[in-house]
Amino acid sequence: MTAVAAQEQQRQRQGTASAQSPTDPAEERDDGVSPPVSPRITVIGTGYLGATHAICMAVLGFEVLGVDVDETKIRRLGEGEVPFFEPGLPPLLAKATDSGRLRFTTSFEEAAEFGDIHFICVGTPQQQGSDAADLRYVDSAVSALAPHLRRPALVVGKSTVPVGTATRLTELVRSLAPAGDQVELAWNPEFLREGYAVDDTIRPDRLVFGVASARAEERLRAAFAPVIASGTPVVVTDLTTAELVKVAANSFLATKISYINAMAEICEATGGDVHSLASALAYDDRIGGRFLKPGLGFGGGCLPKDIRAFVHRAEELGVGRAVTFLREVDAINKRRRSRTVDLIRELAGGDLTGVRVAALGAAFKPHSDDIRDAPALDVARALHRSGAHVTVVDPEATDNARRAHPELRYATDAISAATGADVVALLTEWPQFQEIDPHLMGSVVTHRRMVDARDALDATAWREAGWTCRALGRP
């Protein structure tokens, strides 16, 4: 008898039916052992989304099996190492594995035998040479799992995909699975913010269930019972709408960010102050202040590629004109990067050749080591191509940046990076950078020139310390 089969037999003896809602993991029996819960969950793909989802679901009280084809990643997670930076996740991994509720494997056969609900959490990057989403990893995960599904199961997509993908995958799963129509497919889009992923998983602002049957909804409610019990609202809809929710949300956020940065362009041309403009707009309840922050713009592994893929898919469907504005949203975002380079060039006297620049930040946002489409690194690379000597520093993303861009120089701390600098540029608004003493940094630079591309510093304090400060959208 296999280990999985033995566990299943023990679970049946304990009377834990697969349709039973999970018990609150915070409530333990007097003997200190959490009661068994169901359904059992597998998470296919253990990158940022998958590892976070697997760990948090195990902490919530579920039996979870993480699955990946990358043996190194599986080994590291099994040894208690989170292979990326996310605040609060390492101790939760230790808690989940120590409880016995979380294991990792490379076997899809084991996953099919183990799980009642299978979450697909693999990446959907932008295709090389195209704006379209690359679905090879989603297709591969489903194709590897489905032939082993010999009993009723629910396959749940969490990855961000073009609309219509779920319908296509439903047909694929049922054509490959021995259980046939007893295997259903649902879509449950994720809304994680890097740096806040644990809270967004355990205490999300909403859950979206895209389902094709009442049974699929019932299973998803069982899988998220502790989250729902805490008061999280649930939106139940069809597969197509569930796919659209994520890309629509990302497109809206990107539009809001690019809107205020478009206003920054106007302010720069007219002498206005975009920061004051944003503050005035934020008082309008219809607009609100969230994401209405001028600066270097958005990046990362979601917003840029998701809005491009959304436009591409809309054009395939013949409704491209409805989202044409998103191309300008993308263009505005890219212009903020080139404008930051222009500001640094202006401060340096008009020529970047030989200018020493300290670039504070490499990650696309603070509290992350993610450098995908990072505005900070885009600026650093553009400065380097223009002849500047660029030294980059980041609290968490330096190793990733060095591997991707070895042509740049790197430092271990901000003061070292700024030593001898002609211009300092704040490119990622880490708290550590915002707390820098301008007098201390001023003592090591060659020229006290600061470009605050994130509008995150106290400009008055820096100017009082003798710095010339420039920020996007400000006089």
Side-chain angles (χ1 to χ4, degrees):
M1 179 182 293
T2 67
V4 171
Q7 290 174 0
E8 176 63 28
Q9 188 178 80
Q10 180 183 13
R11 186 168 67 148
Q12 290 173 350
R13 285 199 302 267
Q14 291 170 329
T16 306
S18 62
Q20 182 181 0
S21 296
T23 305
D24 186 344
E27 298 179 359
E28 295 189 344
R29 297 191 310 225
D30 292 340
D31 60 5
V33 179
S34 297
V37 296
S38 63
R40 291 196 300 193
I41 290 169
T42 76
V43 177
I44 314 298
T46 58
Y48 184 85
L49 167 62
T52 302
H53 188 62
I55 293 167
C56 289
M57 295 302 278
V59 169
L60 285 171
F62 294 92
E63 294 180 65
V64 181
L65 185 64
V67 188
D68 206 294
V69 296
D70 188 332
E71 294 182 0
T72 300
K73 192 182 297 183
I74 290 297
R75 175 182 55 78
R76 291 174 67 184
L77 285 164
E79 293 173 351
E81 179 185 354
V82 178
F84 51 84
F85 177 75
E86 178 60 33
L89 200 57
L92 292 186
L93 173 59
K95 179 180 180 180
T97 52
D98 289 348
S99 71
R101 290 192 293 265
L102 177 61
R103 297 186 296 107
F104 298 94
T105 184
T106 59
S107 171
F108 283 88
E109 184 175 5
E110 181 182 4
E113 186 179 356
F114 174 90
D116 304 305
I117 298 180
H118 307 276
F119 286 95
I120 306 297
C121 297
V122 297
T124 53
Q126 188 173 328
Q127 282 186 21
Q128 191 73 26
S130 170
D131 285 345
D134 187 345
L135 298 179
R136 77 177 81 177
Y137 305 110
V138 172
D139 290 352
S140 177
V142 171
S143 297
L145 175 68
H148 303 293
L149 297 175
R150 294 180 167 82
R151 59 186 175 87
L154 182 65
V155 177
V156 184
K158 288 192 73 70
S159 304
T160 304
V161 296
V163 62
T165 301
T167 298
R168 179 176 62 81
L169 291 179
T170 297
E171 298 174 358
L172 178 63
V173 167
R174 289 180 172 174
S175 68
L176 295 176
D181 290 350
Q182 291 184 304
V183 178
E184 294 186 79
L185 188 131
W187 218 263
N188 167 231
E190 56 86 13
F191 302 100
L192 300 190
R193 298 166 298 162
E194 293 194 32
Y196 305 92
V198 171
D199 199 54
D200 287 345
T201 302
I202 295 177
R203 288 173 289 273
D205 52 15
R206 80 285 207 191
L207 289 168
V208 176
F209 296 162
V211 296
S213 73
R215 174 60 176 159
E217 179 187 345
E218 178 187 348
R219 289 183 171 186
L220 276 174
R221 287 186 178 276
F224 288 98
V227 179
I228 296 171
S230 70
T232 300
V234 179
V235 177
V236 180
T237 186
D238 55 88
L239 293 170
T240 297
T241 305
E243 290 172 315
L244 284 170
V245 168
K246 177 61 185 295
V247 291
N250 279 356
S251 296
F252 190 90
L253 295 179
T255 299
K256 196 169 185 181
I257 294 167
S258 282
Y259 173 81
I260 198 61
N261 281 332
M263 295 302 100
E265 292 187 21
I266 303 298
C267 287
E268 288 164 9
T270 61
D273 187 333
V274 72
H275 183 78
S276 297
L277 175 61
S279 296
L281 292 174
Y283 283 106
D284 190 327
D285 289 340
R286 298 168 301 175
I287 298 172
R290 294 196 67 190
F291 290 91
L292 205 64
K293 181 173 173 56
L296 189 47
F298 57 82
C302 290
L303 261 64
K305 63 99 175 172
D306 285 353
I307 64 173
R308 294 165 195 158
F310 192 19
V311 173
H312 185 273
R313 181 57 175 153
E315 290 173 344
E316 287 182 335
L317 295 170
V319 290
R321 285 183 296 179
V323 291
T324 299
F325 71 95
L326 290 177
R327 292 203 181 278
E328 184 56 29
V329 166
D330 197 15
I332 292 168
N333 192 56
K334 291 176 180 177
R335 286 201 298 272
R336 292 292 81 193
R337 305 178 188 195
S338 59
R339 179 56 184 151
T340 299
V341 174
D342 290 342
L343 278 182
I344 296 170
R345 182 183 290 108
E346 291 171 16
L347 270 188
D351 186 3
L352 286 168
T353 304
V355 172
R356 289 165 294 183
V357 180
L360 307 185
F364 87 96
K365 63 177 290 186
H367 311 295
S368 172
D369 63 353
D370 194 343
I371 62 168
R372 291 176 294 176
D373 209 342
L377 278 179
D378 251 14
V379 169
R381 292 166 58 210
L383 293 168
H384 175 78
R385 290 193 298 268
S386 297
H389 301 304
V390 184
T391 302
V392 177
V393 62
D394 190 283
E396 295 294 339
T398 298
D399 289 344
N400 289 341
R402 183 183 285 112
R403 282 190 293 269
H405 303 291
E407 73 275 13
L408 302 175
R409 302 175 183 180
Y410 296 89
T412 57
D413 61 85
I415 298 301
S416 298
T419 300
D422 299 303
V423 182
V424 178
L426 177 64
L427 304 178
T428 307
E429 64 274 35
W430 282 93
Q432 296 94 315
F433 297 154
Q434 298 180 57
E435 296 165 1
I436 291 172
D437 182 342
H439 294 281
L440 175 60
M441 182 164 279
S443 69
V444 302
V445 298
T446 300
H447 300 285
R448 297 189 181 193
R449 302 163 176 162
M450 169 65 74
V451 171
D452 180 5
R454 293 295 186 178
D455 197 22
L457 300 177
D458 182 346
T460 299
W462 283 78
R463 290 189 178 110
E464 289 176 351
W467 288 76
T468 300
C469 296
R470 296 291 302 276
L472 294 167
R474 283 193 152 181

